[in-house]
């Protein structure tokens, strides 16, 4: 069932991590189009300053995504303000670099708290509202690293693999309620993702991991030079939210597309190479 209760087809959006990057681009484009936006950040003052918005269509919210109660309160406040929630974009997250041996248990868990459990907290909180209204679209931001990861980013890749996996199953679980799910895998975009407040690198590097150090150095040199335009990425996400049949998977960026297709070729080759062994596991007799 489609939402027919919109004013001129405008939607109510709930966007996490909205004070910078994709989130900020989304908020600005949506508000400029007259849509209603609830946006979360750890720093609401920064969010309000970055958007320059004080209109009744904009609800800035301070949220700790790792705290289930904080997320639930934000979702309820959004519903109380706008009377529905049409689109959720789980955008908040950060990068974490280092070999597994170099990163502490605390660093790993903190990364999963935001990149994975924050997404789960939002989904759990919004689902009762979307089920009741029998429509909605949940858009989860993963990364090309969740499809084709690179050296030195194991934990980041693990969180983004998790987002893809949970999105694929969520889509099956909620389709009977008229709710759509899309998982987005961007490549390199000219956001502040490589800045210090969005990227954590190991504080305990081990000399033996020179390839990891070299990879990190190359990525840091890309800051401000990434080929992707975040405004185009935001516009693409807004567009698919208007589609009657939005994609489950969406790659953003030529680099993401090329890496994903290369990974498909590798998987196809490896699976076929071991086909006979894979199929030989049945009991005999």
């Amino acid at each position: 069932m489609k939402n027919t209760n919109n004013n001129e087809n405008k939607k109510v959006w709930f966007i996490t991590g909205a004070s910078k990057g994709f989130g900020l681009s989304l908020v600005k484009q949506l508000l400029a189009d007259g849509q209603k936006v609830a946006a979360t950040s750890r720093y609401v003052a920064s969010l309000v300053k970055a958007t320059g918005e004080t209109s009744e269509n904009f609800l800035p919210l301070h949220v700790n995504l790792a705290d289930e109660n904080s997320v639930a309160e934000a979702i309820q406040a959004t519903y109380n303000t706008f009377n529905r929630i049409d689109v959720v974009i789980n955008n908040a997250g950060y990068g974490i670099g280092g070999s597994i041996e170099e990163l502490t248990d605390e660093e790993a868990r903190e990364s999963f708290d935001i990149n994975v459990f924050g997404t789960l907290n939002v989904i759990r909180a919004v689902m009762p509202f979307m089920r009741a209204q029998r429509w909605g679209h949940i858009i989860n931001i993963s990364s090309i690293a969740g499809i084709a990861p690179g050296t030195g980013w194991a934990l980041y890749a693990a969180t983004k693999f998790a987002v893809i996996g949970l999105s694929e199953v969520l889509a099956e679980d909620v389709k009977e309620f008229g709710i759509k799910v899309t998982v987005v895998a961007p490549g390199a975009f000219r956001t502040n993702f490589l800045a210090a407040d969005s990227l954590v690198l190991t504080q305990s590097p081990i000399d033996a991991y020179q390839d990891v150090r070299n990879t990190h150095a190359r990525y840091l040199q890309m800051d401000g030079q990434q080929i992707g335009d975040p405004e185009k990425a935001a516009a693409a996400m807004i567009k698919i939210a208007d589609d009657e049949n939005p994609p489950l998977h969406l790659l953003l960026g030529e680099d993401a597309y090329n890496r994903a297709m290369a990974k498909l070729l590798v998987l196809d080759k490896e699976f076929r190479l071991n086909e006979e062994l894979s199929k030989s596991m049945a009991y005999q007799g």
Side-chain angles (χ1 to χ4, degrees), residues 201-223:
L201 295 178
T202 176
Q203 297 301 298
S204 303
I206 297 172
D207 290 342
Y209 287 105
Q210 192 56 52
D211 285 346
V212 172
R213 300 289 83 72
N214 293 340
T215 296
H216 291 170
R218 286 196 298 273
Y219 270 88
L220 292 175
Q221 289 172 0
M222 289 171 55
D223 191 20

mmCIF file with all atom_site columns, all heavy atoms in Angstrom, residues 201-223:
data_model
loop_
_atom_site.group_PDB
_atom_site.id
_atom_site.type_symbol
_atom_site.label_atom_id
_atom_site.label_alt_id
_atom_site.label_comp_id
_atom_site.label_asym_id
_atom_site.label_entity_id
_atom_site.label_seq_id
_atom_site.pdbx_PDB_ins_code
_atom_site.Cartn_x
_atom_site.Cartn_y
_atom_site.Cartn_z
_atom_site.occupancy
_atom_site.B_iso_or_equiv
_atom_site.pdbx_formal_charge
_atom_site.auth_seq_id
_atom_site.auth_comp_id
_atom_site.auth_asym_id
_atom_site.auth_atom_id
_atom_site.pdbx_PDB_model_num
ATOM 1   N N   . LEU A 1 201 ? 42.092 5.188  13.207 1.00 0.00 ? 201 LEU A N   1
ATOM 2   C CA  . LEU A 1 201 ? 43.179 4.283  12.833 1.00 0.00 ? 201 LEU A CA  1
ATOM 3   C C   . LEU A 1 201 ? 43.809 3.722  14.101 1.00 0.00 ? 201 LEU A C   1
ATOM 4   O O   . LEU A 1 201 ? 43.816 4.372  15.146 1.00 0.00 ? 201 LEU A O   1
ATOM 5   C CB  . LEU A 1 201 ? 44.235 5.004  11.997 1.00 0.00 ? 201 LEU A CB  1
ATOM 6   C CG  . LEU A 1 201 ? 43.785 5.513  10.626 1.00 0.00 ? 201 LEU A CG  1
ATOM 7   C CD1 . LEU A 1 201 ? 44.931 6.238  9.934  1.00 0.00 ? 201 LEU A CD1 1
ATOM 8   C CD2 . LEU A 1 201 ? 43.269 4.376  9.757  1.00 0.00 ? 201 LEU A CD2 1
ATOM 9   N N   . THR A 1 202 ? 44.318 2.515  13.995 1.00 0.00 ? 202 THR A N   1
ATOM 10  C CA  . THR A 1 202 ? 44.901 1.869  15.166 1.00 0.00 ? 202 THR A CA  1
ATOM 11  C C   . THR A 1 202 ? 45.926 2.758  15.863 1.00 0.00 ? 202 THR A C   1
ATOM 12  O O   . THR A 1 202 ? 46.733 3.434  15.222 1.00 0.00 ? 202 THR A O   1
ATOM 13  C CB  . THR A 1 202 ? 45.578 0.538  14.770 1.00 0.00 ? 202 THR A CB  1
ATOM 14  O OG1 . THR A 1 202 ? 46.209 -0.017 15.924 1.00 0.00 ? 202 THR A OG1 1
ATOM 15  C CG2 . THR A 1 202 ? 46.620 0.741  13.685 1.00 0.00 ? 202 THR A CG2 1
ATOM 16  N N   . GLN A 1 203 ? 45.867 2.768  17.171 1.00 0.00 ? 203 GLN A N   1
ATOM 17  C CA  . GLN A 1 203 ? 46.833 3.498  17.988 1.00 0.00 ? 203 GLN A CA  1
ATOM 18  C C   . GLN A 1 203 ? 47.999 2.606  18.410 1.00 0.00 ? 203 GLN A C   1
ATOM 19  O O   . GLN A 1 203 ? 48.908 3.073  19.103 1.00 0.00 ? 203 GLN A O   1
ATOM 20  C CB  . GLN A 1 203 ? 46.131 4.062  19.224 1.00 0.00 ? 203 GLN A CB  1
ATOM 21  C CG  . GLN A 1 203 ? 45.044 5.074  18.907 1.00 0.00 ? 203 GLN A CG  1
ATOM 22  C CD  . GLN A 1 203 ? 45.573 6.261  18.142 1.00 0.00 ? 203 GLN A CD  1
ATOM 23  O OE1 . GLN A 1 203 ? 46.436 6.999  18.635 1.00 0.00 ? 203 GLN A OE1 1
ATOM 24  N NE2 . GLN A 1 203 ? 45.074 6.464  16.924 1.00 0.00 ? 203 GLN A NE2 1
ATOM 25  N N   . SER A 1 204 ? 47.954 1.341  17.973 1.00 0.00 ? 204 SER A N   1
ATOM 26  C CA  . SER A 1 204 ? 49.014 0.401  18.346 1.00 0.00 ? 204 SER A CA  1
ATOM 27  C C   . SER A 1 204 ? 49.516 -0.341 17.105 1.00 0.00 ? 204 SER A C   1
ATOM 28  O O   . SER A 1 204 ? 49.394 -1.565 16.994 1.00 0.00 ? 204 SER A O   1
ATOM 29  C CB  . SER A 1 204 ? 48.475 -0.607 19.375 1.00 0.00 ? 204 SER A CB  1
ATOM 30  O OG  . SER A 1 204 ? 47.963 0.056  20.510 1.00 0.00 ? 204 SER A OG  1
ATOM 31  N N   . PRO A 1 205 ? 50.090 0.416  16.158 1.00 0.00 ? 205 PRO A N   1
ATOM 32  C CA  . PRO A 1 205 ? 50.552 -0.238 14.927 1.00 0.00 ? 205 PRO A CA  1
ATOM 33  C C   . PRO A 1 205 ? 51.699 -1.213 15.192 1.00 0.00 ? 205 PRO A C   1
ATOM 34  O O   . PRO A 1 205 ? 52.536 -0.977 16.066 1.00 0.00 ? 205 PRO A O   1
ATOM 35  C CB  . PRO A 1 205 ? 51.008 0.933  14.059 1.00 0.00 ? 205 PRO A CB  1
ATOM 36  C CG  . PRO A 1 205 ? 51.341 2.026  15.028 1.00 0.00 ? 205 PRO A CG  1
ATOM 37  C CD  . PRO A 1 205 ? 50.378 1.857  16.157 1.00 0.00 ? 205 PRO A CD  1
ATOM 38  N N   . ILE A 1 206 ? 51.692 -2.291 14.445 1.00 0.00 ? 206 ILE A N   1
ATOM 39  C CA  . ILE A 1 206 ? 52.736 -3.305 14.538 1.00 0.00 ? 206 ILE A CA  1
ATOM 40  C C   . ILE A 1 206 ? 53.589 -3.207 13.283 1.00 0.00 ? 206 ILE A C   1
ATOM 41  O O   . ILE A 1 206 ? 53.070 -3.215 12.164 1.00 0.00 ? 206 ILE A O   1
ATOM 42  C CB  . ILE A 1 206 ? 52.115 -4.714 14.666 1.00 0.00 ? 206 ILE A CB  1
ATOM 43  C CG1 . ILE A 1 206 ? 51.312 -4.801 15.968 1.00 0.00 ? 206 ILE A CG1 1
ATOM 44  C CG2 . ILE A 1 206 ? 53.194 -5.790 14.630 1.00 0.00 ? 206 ILE A CG2 1
ATOM 45  C CD1 . ILE A 1 206 ? 50.491 -6.078 16.104 1.00 0.00 ? 206 ILE A CD1 1
ATOM 46  N N   . ASP A 1 207 ? 54.898 -3.098 13.460 1.00 0.00 ? 207 ASP A N   1
ATOM 47  C CA  . ASP A 1 207 ? 55.799 -2.840 12.340 1.00 0.00 ? 207 ASP A CA  1
ATOM 48  C C   . ASP A 1 207 ? 55.651 -3.855 11.212 1.00 0.00 ? 207 ASP A C   1
ATOM 49  O O   . ASP A 1 207 ? 55.842 -3.517 10.042 1.00 0.00 ? 207 ASP A O   1
ATOM 50  C CB  . ASP A 1 207 ? 57.246 -2.838 12.829 1.00 0.00 ? 207 ASP A CB  1
ATOM 51  C CG  . ASP A 1 207 ? 57.565 -1.618 13.700 1.00 0.00 ? 207 ASP A CG  1
ATOM 52  O OD1 . ASP A 1 207 ? 56.791 -0.640 13.632 1.00 0.00 ? 207 ASP A OD1 1
ATOM 53  O OD2 . ASP A 1 207 ? 58.573 -1.670 14.436 1.00 0.00 ? 207 ASP A OD2 1
ATOM 54  N N   . ALA A 1 208 ? 55.305 -5.076 11.551 1.00 0.00 ? 208 ALA A N   1
ATOM 55  C CA  . ALA A 1 208 ? 55.236 -6.132 10.529 1.00 0.00 ? 208 ALA A CA  1
ATOM 56  C C   . ALA A 1 208 ? 54.166 -5.864 9.481  1.00 0.00 ? 208 ALA A C   1
ATOM 57  O O   . ALA A 1 208 ? 54.258 -6.366 8.352  1.00 0.00 ? 208 ALA A O   1
ATOM 58  C CB  . ALA A 1 208 ? 54.984 -7.482 11.197 1.00 0.00 ? 208 ALA A CB  1
ATOM 59  N N   . TYR A 1 209 ? 53.154 -5.060 9.815  1.00 0.00 ? 209 TYR A N   1
ATOM 60  C CA  . TYR A 1 209 ? 52.037 -4.831 8.886  1.00 0.00 ? 209 TYR A CA  1
ATOM 61  C C   . TYR A 1 209 ? 52.315 -3.620 7.980  1.00 0.00 ? 209 TYR A C   1
ATOM 62  O O   . TYR A 1 209 ? 51.571 -2.644 7.971  1.00 0.00 ? 209 TYR A O   1
ATOM 63  C CB  . TYR A 1 209 ? 50.743 -4.619 9.666  1.00 0.00 ? 209 TYR A CB  1
ATOM 64  C CG  . TYR A 1 209 ? 50.197 -5.869 10.293 1.00 0.00 ? 209 TYR A CG  1
ATOM 65  C CD1 . TYR A 1 209 ? 50.318 -6.092 11.658 1.00 0.00 ? 209 TYR A CD1 1
ATOM 66  C CD2 . TYR A 1 209 ? 49.554 -6.837 9.522  1.00 0.00 ? 209 TYR A CD2 1
ATOM 67  C CE1 . TYR A 1 209 ? 49.819 -7.242 12.243 1.00 0.00 ? 209 TYR A CE1 1
ATOM 68  C CE2 . TYR A 1 209 ? 49.043 -7.993 10.100 1.00 0.00 ? 209 TYR A CE2 1
ATOM 69  C CZ  . TYR A 1 209 ? 49.188 -8.188 11.459 1.00 0.00 ? 209 TYR A CZ  1
ATOM 70  O OH  . TYR A 1 209 ? 48.692 -9.331 12.035 1.00 0.00 ? 209 TYR A OH  1
ATOM 71  N N   . GLN A 1 210 ? 53.367 -3.709 7.174  1.00 0.00 ? 210 GLN A N   1
ATOM 72  C CA  . GLN A 1 210 ? 53.734 -2.588 6.323  1.00 0.00 ? 210 GLN A CA  1
ATOM 73  C C   . GLN A 1 210 ? 52.725 -2.359 5.208  1.00 0.00 ? 210 GLN A C   1
ATOM 74  O O   . GLN A 1 210 ? 52.447 -1.214 4.823  1.00 0.00 ? 210 GLN A O   1
ATOM 75  C CB  . GLN A 1 210 ? 55.128 -2.805 5.735  1.00 0.00 ? 210 GLN A CB  1
ATOM 76  C CG  . GLN A 1 210 ? 55.700 -1.559 5.078  1.00 0.00 ? 210 GLN A CG  1
ATOM 77  C CD  . GLN A 1 210 ? 55.739 -0.365 6.028  1.00 0.00 ? 210 GLN A CD  1
ATOM 78  O OE1 . GLN A 1 210 ? 56.257 -0.461 7.140  1.00 0.00 ? 210 GLN A OE1 1
ATOM 79  N NE2 . GLN A 1 210 ? 55.171 0.768  5.608  1.00 0.00 ? 210 GLN A NE2 1
ATOM 80  N N   . ASP A 1 211 ? 52.159 -3.443 4.681  1.00 0.00 ? 211 ASP A N   1
ATOM 81  C CA  . ASP A 1 211 ? 51.145 -3.279 3.629  1.00 0.00 ? 211 ASP A CA  1
ATOM 82  C C   . ASP A 1 211 ? 49.929 -2.510 4.147  1.00 0.00 ? 211 ASP A C   1
ATOM 83  O O   . ASP A 1 211 ? 49.325 -1.707 3.423  1.00 0.00 ? 211 ASP A O   1
ATOM 84  C CB  . ASP A 1 211 ? 50.698 -4.633 3.084  1.00 0.00 ? 211 ASP A CB  1
ATOM 85  C CG  . ASP A 1 211 ? 51.738 -5.275 2.176  1.00 0.00 ? 211 ASP A CG  1
ATOM 86  O OD1 . ASP A 1 211 ? 52.687 -4.560 1.767  1.00 0.00 ? 211 ASP A OD1 1
ATOM 87  O OD2 . ASP A 1 211 ? 51.607 -6.476 1.876  1.00 0.00 ? 211 ASP A OD2 1
ATOM 88  N N   . VAL A 1 212 ? 49.580 -2.755 5.390  1.00 0.00 ? 212 VAL A N   1
ATOM 89  C CA  . VAL A 1 212 ? 48.461 -2.034 5.996  1.00 0.00 ? 212 VAL A CA  1
ATOM 90  C C   . VAL A 1 212 ? 48.793 -0.553 6.123  1.00 0.00 ? 212 VAL A C   1
ATOM 91  O O   . VAL A 1 212 ? 47.980 0.325  5.798  1.00 0.00 ? 212 VAL A O   1
ATOM 92  C CB  . VAL A 1 212 ? 48.107 -2.638 7.366  1.00 0.00 ? 212 VAL A CB  1
ATOM 93  C CG1 . VAL A 1 212 ? 47.081 -1.772 8.099  1.00 0.00 ? 212 VAL A CG1 1
ATOM 94  C CG2 . VAL A 1 212 ? 47.573 -4.054 7.198  1.00 0.00 ? 212 VAL A CG2 1
ATOM 95  N N   . ARG A 1 213 ? 50.015 -0.246 6.591  1.00 0.00 ? 213 ARG A N   1
ATOM 96  C CA  . ARG A 1 213 ? 50.424 1.156  6.713  1.00 0.00 ? 213 ARG A CA  1
ATOM 97  C C   . ARG A 1 213 ? 50.398 1.860  5.352  1.00 0.00 ? 213 ARG A C   1
ATOM 98  O O   . ARG A 1 213 ? 49.939 3.000  5.233  1.00 0.00 ? 213 ARG A O   1
ATOM 99  C CB  . ARG A 1 213 ? 51.852 1.256  7.277  1.00 0.00 ? 213 ARG A CB  1
ATOM 100 C CG  . ARG A 1 213 ? 52.095 0.664  8.642  1.00 0.00 ? 213 ARG A CG  1
ATOM 101 C CD  . ARG A 1 213 ? 51.466 1.462  9.765  1.00 0.00 ? 213 ARG A CD  1
ATOM 102 N NE  . ARG A 1 213 ? 50.073 1.141  9.956  1.00 0.00 ? 213 ARG A NE  1
ATOM 103 C CZ  . ARG A 1 213 ? 49.640 -0.014 10.498 1.00 0.00 ? 213 ARG A CZ  1
ATOM 104 N NH1 . ARG A 1 213 ? 50.500 -0.938 10.887 1.00 0.00 ? 213 ARG A NH1 1
ATOM 105 N NH2 . ARG A 1 213 ? 48.350 -0.235 10.648 1.00 0.00 ? 213 ARG A NH2 1
ATOM 106 N N   . ASN A 1 214 ? 50.888 1.158  4.326  1.00 0.00 ? 214 ASN A N   1
ATOM 107 C CA  . ASN A 1 214 ? 50.929 1.746  2.990  1.00 0.00 ? 214 ASN A CA  1
ATOM 108 C C   . ASN A 1 214 ? 49.519 2.017  2.472  1.00 0.00 ? 214 ASN A C   1
ATOM 109 O O   . ASN A 1 214 ? 49.259 3.062  1.855  1.00 0.00 ? 214 ASN A O   1
ATOM 110 C CB  . ASN A 1 214 ? 51.672 0.819  2.026  1.00 0.00 ? 214 ASN A CB  1
ATOM 111 C CG  . ASN A 1 214 ? 53.147 0.693  2.361  1.00 0.00 ? 214 ASN A CG  1
ATOM 112 O OD1 . ASN A 1 214 ? 53.722 1.532  3.051  1.00 0.00 ? 214 ASN A OD1 1
ATOM 113 N ND2 . ASN A 1 214 ? 53.778 -0.365 1.872  1.00 0.00 ? 214 ASN A ND2 1
ATOM 114 N N   . THR A 1 215 ? 48.608 1.083  2.745  1.00 0.00 ? 215 THR A N   1
ATOM 115 C CA  . THR A 1 215 ? 47.211 1.267  2.313  1.00 0.00 ? 215 THR A CA  1
ATOM 116 C C   . THR A 1 215 ? 46.590 2.468  2.995  1.00 0.00 ? 215 THR A C   1
ATOM 117 O O   . THR A 1 215 ? 45.927 3.298  2.354  1.00 0.00 ? 215 THR A O   1
ATOM 118 C CB  . THR A 1 215 ? 46.389 0.008  2.630  1.00 0.00 ? 215 THR A CB  1
ATOM 119 O OG1 . THR A 1 215 ? 46.893 -1.085 1.874  1.00 0.00 ? 215 THR A OG1 1
ATOM 120 C CG2 . THR A 1 215 ? 44.924 0.213  2.283  1.00 0.00 ? 215 THR A CG2 1
ATOM 121 N N   . HIS A 1 216 ? 46.798 2.596  4.288  1.00 0.00 ? 216 HIS A N   1
ATOM 122 C CA  . HIS A 1 216 ? 46.235 3.728  5.017  1.00 0.00 ? 216 HIS A CA  1
ATOM 123 C C   . HIS A 1 216 ? 46.800 5.050  4.508  1.00 0.00 ? 216 HIS A C   1
ATOM 124 O O   . HIS A 1 216 ? 46.062 6.035  4.373  1.00 0.00 ? 216 HIS A O   1
ATOM 125 C CB  . HIS A 1 216 ? 46.506 3.580  6.516  1.00 0.00 ? 216 HIS A CB  1
ATOM 126 C CG  . HIS A 1 216 ? 45.740 2.463  7.146  1.00 0.00 ? 216 HIS A CG  1
ATOM 127 N ND1 . HIS A 1 216 ? 45.979 2.027  8.430  1.00 0.00 ? 216 HIS A ND1 1
ATOM 128 C CD2 . HIS A 1 216 ? 44.740 1.680  6.675  1.00 0.00 ? 216 HIS A CD2 1
ATOM 129 C CE1 . HIS A 1 216 ? 45.154 1.037  8.716  1.00 0.00 ? 216 HIS A CE1 1
ATOM 130 N NE2 . HIS A 1 216 ? 44.399 0.809  7.673  1.00 0.00 ? 216 HIS A NE2 1
ATOM 131 N N   . ALA A 1 217 ? 48.088 5.069  4.225  1.00 0.00 ? 217 ALA A N   1
ATOM 132 C CA  . ALA A 1 217 ? 48.713 6.298  3.719  1.00 0.00 ? 217 ALA A CA  1
ATOM 133 C C   . ALA A 1 217 ? 48.100 6.709  2.384  1.00 0.00 ? 217 ALA A C   1
ATOM 134 O O   . ALA A 1 217 ? 47.834 7.897  2.149  1.00 0.00 ? 217 ALA A O   1
ATOM 135 C CB  . ALA A 1 217 ? 50.220 6.093  3.579  1.00 0.00 ? 217 ALA A CB  1
ATOM 136 N N   . ARG A 1 218 ? 47.838 5.738  1.509  1.00 0.00 ? 218 ARG A N   1
ATOM 137 C CA  . ARG A 1 218 ? 47.235 6.050  0.212  1.00 0.00 ? 218 ARG A CA  1
ATOM 138 C C   . ARG A 1 218 ? 45.821 6.608  0.393  1.00 0.00 ? 218 ARG A C   1
ATOM 139 O O   . ARG A 1 218 ? 45.440 7.566  -0.276 1.00 0.00 ? 218 ARG A O   1
ATOM 140 C CB  . ARG A 1 218 ? 47.200 4.799  -0.676 1.00 0.00 ? 218 ARG A CB  1
ATOM 141 C CG  . ARG A 1 218 ? 48.558 4.407  -1.237 1.00 0.00 ? 218 ARG A CG  1
ATOM 142 C CD  . ARG A 1 218 ? 48.394 3.419  -2.388 1.00 0.00 ? 218 ARG A CD  1
ATOM 143 N NE  . ARG A 1 218 ? 47.761 2.179  -1.975 1.00 0.00 ? 218 ARG A NE  1
ATOM 144 C CZ  . ARG A 1 218 ? 48.405 1.130  -1.481 1.00 0.00 ? 218 ARG A CZ  1
ATOM 145 N NH1 . ARG A 1 218 ? 49.731 1.176  -1.322 1.00 0.00 ? 218 ARG A NH1 1
ATOM 146 N NH2 . ARG A 1 218 ? 47.755 0.031  -1.148 1.00 0.00 ? 218 ARG A NH2 1
ATOM 147 N N   . TYR A 1 219 ? 45.065 6.008  1.309  1.00 0.00 ? 219 TYR A N   1
ATOM 148 C CA  . TYR A 1 219 ? 43.696 6.491  1.531  1.00 0.00 ? 219 TYR A CA  1
ATOM 149 C C   . TYR A 1 219 ? 43.692 7.911  2.092  1.00 0.00 ? 219 TYR A C   1
ATOM 150 O O   . TYR A 1 219 ? 42.898 8.751  1.671  1.00 0.00 ? 219 TYR A O   1
ATOM 151 C CB  . TYR A 1 219 ? 42.941 5.554  2.476  1.00 0.00 ? 219 TYR A CB  1
ATOM 152 C CG  . TYR A 1 219 ? 42.210 4.449  1.769  1.00 0.00 ? 219 TYR A CG  1
ATOM 153 C CD1 . TYR A 1 219 ? 42.834 3.242  1.477  1.00 0.00 ? 219 TYR A CD1 1
ATOM 154 C CD2 . TYR A 1 219 ? 40.896 4.608  1.370  1.00 0.00 ? 219 TYR A CD2 1
ATOM 155 C CE1 . TYR A 1 219 ? 42.169 2.220  0.815  1.00 0.00 ? 219 TYR A CE1 1
ATOM 156 C CE2 . TYR A 1 219 ? 40.218 3.598  0.703  1.00 0.00 ? 219 TYR A CE2 1
ATOM 157 C CZ  . TYR A 1 219 ? 40.862 2.415  0.436  1.00 0.00 ? 219 TYR A CZ  1
ATOM 158 O OH  . TYR A 1 219 ? 40.196 1.418  -0.226 1.00 0.00 ? 219 TYR A OH  1
ATOM 159 N N   . LEU A 1 220 ? 44.572 8.187  3.036  1.00 0.00 ? 220 LEU A N   1
ATOM 160 C CA  . LEU A 1 220 ? 44.604 9.516  3.640  1.00 0.00 ? 220 LEU A CA  1
ATOM 161 C C   . LEU A 1 220 ? 44.985 10.585 2.618  1.00 0.00 ? 220 LEU A C   1
ATOM 162 O O   . LEU A 1 220 ? 44.516 11.726 2.693  1.00 0.00 ? 220 LEU A O   1
ATOM 163 C CB  . LEU A 1 220 ? 45.577 9.531  4.819  1.00 0.00 ? 220 LEU A CB  1
ATOM 164 C CG  . LEU A 1 220 ? 45.138 8.695  6.035  1.00 0.00 ? 220 LEU A CG  1
ATOM 165 C CD1 . LEU A 1 220 ? 46.225 8.679  7.098  1.00 0.00 ? 220 LEU A CD1 1
ATOM 166 C CD2 . LEU A 1 220 ? 43.831 9.214  6.615  1.00 0.00 ? 220 LEU A CD2 1
ATOM 167 N N   . GLN A 1 221 ? 45.791 10.218 1.647  1.00 0.00 ? 221 GLN A N   1
ATOM 168 C CA  . GLN A 1 221 ? 46.172 11.165 0.598  1.00 0.00 ? 221 GLN A CA  1
ATOM 169 C C   . GLN A 1 221 ? 45.004 11.486 -0.334 1.00 0.00 ? 221 GLN A C   1
ATOM 170 O O   . GLN A 1 221 ? 45.029 12.488 -1.048 1.00 0.00 ? 221 GLN A O   1
ATOM 171 C CB  . GLN A 1 221 ? 47.350 10.608 -0.215 1.00 0.00 ? 221 GLN A CB  1
ATOM 172 C CG  . GLN A 1 221 ? 48.667 10.592 0.546  1.00 0.00 ? 221 GLN A CG  1
ATOM 173 C CD  . GLN A 1 221 ? 49.770 9.866  -0.196 1.00 0.00 ? 221 GLN A CD  1
ATOM 174 O OE1 . GLN A 1 221 ? 49.575 9.360  -1.307 1.00 0.00 ? 221 GLN A OE1 1
ATOM 175 N NE2 . GLN A 1 221 ? 50.938 9.794  0.415  1.00 0.00 ? 221 GLN A NE2 1
ATOM 176 N N   . MET A 1 222 ? 43.971 10.634 -0.322 1.00 0.00 ? 222 MET A N   1
ATOM 177 C CA  . MET A 1 222 ? 42.798 10.870 -1.162 1.00 0.00 ? 222 MET A CA  1
ATOM 178 C C   . MET A 1 222 ? 41.863 11.925 -0.597 1.00 0.00 ? 222 MET A C   1
ATOM 179 O O   . MET A 1 222 ? 40.959 12.394 -1.291 1.00 0.00 ? 222 MET A O   1
ATOM 180 C CB  . MET A 1 222 ? 41.989 9.561  -1.317 1.00 0.00 ? 222 MET A CB  1
ATOM 181 C CG  . MET A 1 222 ? 42.636 8.503  -2.167 1.00 0.00 ? 222 MET A CG  1
ATOM 182 S SD  . MET A 1 222 ? 41.699 6.950  -2.047 1.00 0.00 ? 222 MET A SD  1
ATOM 183 C CE  . MET A 1 222 ? 40.045 7.487  -2.520 1.00 0.00 ? 222 MET A CE  1
ATOM 184 N N   . ASP A 1 223 ? 42.043 12.304 0.667  1.00 0.00 ? 223 ASP A N   1
ATOM 185 C CA  . ASP A 1 223 ? 41.093 13.198 1.316  1.00 0.00 ? 223 ASP A CA  1
ATOM 186 C C   . ASP A 1 223 ? 40.940 14.494 0.527  1.00 0.00 ? 223 ASP A C   1
ATOM 187 O O   . ASP A 1 223 ? 41.911 15.198 0.253  1.00 0.00 ? 223 ASP A O   1
ATOM 188 C CB  . ASP A 1 223 ? 41.575 13.509 2.737  1.00 0.00 ? 223 ASP A CB  1
ATOM 189 C CG  . ASP A 1 223 ? 40.508 14.203 3.560  1.00 0.00 ? 223 ASP A CG  1
ATOM 190 O OD1 . ASP A 1 223 ? 39.324 14.104 3.194  1.00 0.00 ? 223 ASP A OD1 1
ATOM 191 O OD2 . ASP A 1 223 ? 40.866 14.837 4.574  1.00 0.00 ? 223 ASP A OD2 1
#
